[in-house]
Amino acid sequence: MKASRVLVTGADGYIGSILAPRLIAEGADVVGIDNGFYRSGWLFNDSRPRPPMLTKDIRSIIPADLEGFDSVVHLAELSNDPLGELNPRVTHSINHLGSVHLARACKAAGVRRFVYTSSCSVYGAAADGGDRDETSPPNPQTAYAECKVLVERDVGALADNSFTPVFLRNATAFGASPRMRFDIVLNNLAGIAWTAREIQMTSDGTPWRPLVHVNDICTAIVLALRAPRDAVHNEIFNVGDDSQNYRIAEIARIIADILPDCPLRFGAPSGDNRSYRTSFAKIRRHLPEFRCSWSAQRGARELLELFQHIGMTAETFASPPFTRLKRLRELIDTGQIDADFFWRYPTDLRPSHDLSSHAA
Ligand SMILES: NC(=O)c1ccc[n+]([C@@H]2O[C@H](COP(=O)([O-])OP(=O)(O)OC[C@H]3O[C@@H](n4cnc5c(N)ncnc54)[C@H](O)[C@@H]3O)[C@@H](O)[C@H]2O)c1
């Protein structure tokens, strides 16, 4: 990656705050962009080098912001299913139209590679229980997942000799990041177990959820940036490992088994019908170096050791920036962001262009 100039959107997020130092360590010249929704949350001391940051909404990006970059890794979105349901109209404006707008601006600025973090949640509810691969029809259940499918379609249409988009459908992430998120399943259950010394599930835990550690997502991104064009040009890859398709109940059991005296109780089946198993064979064919180094067991141990190390309290666990829906509700309720999720103070630079023209 030496001498390569890489822009990371969402560099202040859960994945971005691990990815940016990793790219710097690989020798890349990295700049981050983020609008700073969760900047008030920082879980533990982390002295890895951080990139210079531009505070800007992706919807307001112009090609001049992107000139001179070889590659862009695009992480900045409203980043999970429940968050996307908070305001589906704004979710579409940021996640779909904002992402397509960004990709077009990248292409206009001469950026050659665009790595987009899609999600296995595009598979939604897989009624037959078979493993989903990249050729399986998506079945999105939420605005968040719908937008992922639309971005893959519309950014894929921009691919040509000068512009190589790559789509990484990540499994549900887990693991330690200074910009911690407790709204993803393993991190959430580990936090509950640590603070309550029991896991009382609100559901029966039967749905399937493939998992992948945040460090392994970053490995996939680094390899997608480094790979020869032909290996990745306009390709979609599930990111994870076949051995890491878990039922939610199994994830809870793994955590309860590590923490002494942590009883585990299940609830009634939930109304959430998202359940899918995923095949991760394709990424291994195209990016042969790719391996997941982190199992759920190893990740759960990492988190419980971290909680011990920082003396994590129930208050920290419940703090808004670590749970995205809570934080955005707080920003809305206190009037800090407006109906379109732009900051009111200092006033966000709003786009002068019409994003809806980017819809296919
Ligand atoms: N964490 C997961 O489990 C997971 C799984 C699959 C895919 N992904 C995808 O990876 C990407 C990054 O996920 P994450 O977990 O790091 O999310 P995150 O919410 O922690 O980080 C996203 C960052 O983007 C910023 N952002 C949001 N809207 C913005 C806007 N309009 N303009 C500029 N910045 C904005 C936020 O401030 C935040 O710092 C997302 O696209 C997400 O959908 C995440």
Side-chain angles (χ1 to χ4, degrees), residues 9-18 33-39 53-61 74-81 83 90 93-95 98-99 116-121 144 148 168-174 177 179-181 183-185 187 210-212 214 217 221 239 276 321 324 328 340-343 348:
T9 74
D12 256 341
Y14 174 66
I15 297 172
S17 59
I18 300 289
I33 288 188
D34 201 293
N35 66 354
F37 279 156
Y38 317 105
R39 223 170 248 166
M53 292 292 303
L54 177 63
T55 297
K56 195 162 186 177
D57 195 290
I58 55 159
R59 292 169 289 180
S60 304
I61 295 277
H74 176 37
L75 305 168
E77 284 189 358
L78 300 177
S79 298
N80 65 18
D81 288 303
L83 186 63
V90 180
S93 107
I94 295 177
N95 292 17
S99 294
Y116 177 66
T117 42
S118 187
S119 167
C120 287
S121 66
Y144 168 78
K148 293 293 191 198
L168 300 179
R169 286 182 181 166
N170 299 292
T172 299
F174 64 93
S177 163
R179 299 276 185 211
M180 197 55 182
R181 303 291 176 243
D183 49 20
I184 36 185
V185 60
N187 295 2
L211 296 186
V212 63
V214 59
I217 292 179
I221 294 171
V239 177
Y276 45 89
R324 288 165 279 209
L328 279 193
D340 296 313
F341 293 14
F342 285 104
W343 292 102
D348 246 337

Side-chain angles (χ1 to χ4, degrees), residues 235-252:
E235 294 285 351
I236 295 175
F237 300 106
N238 294 335
V239 177
D241 190 280
D242 288 351
S243 65
Q244 296 210 59
N245 283 293
Y246 298 97
R247 286 190 190 272
I248 291 173
E250 266 179 85
I251 303 169

Side-chain angles (χ1 to χ4, degrees), residues 153-175:
R153 180 196 69 186
D154 293 347
V155 175
L158 301 177
D160 65 11
N161 284 342
S162 70
F163 186 70
T164 291
V166 188
F167 305 98
L168 300 179
R169 286 182 181 166
N170 299 292
T172 299
F174 64 93

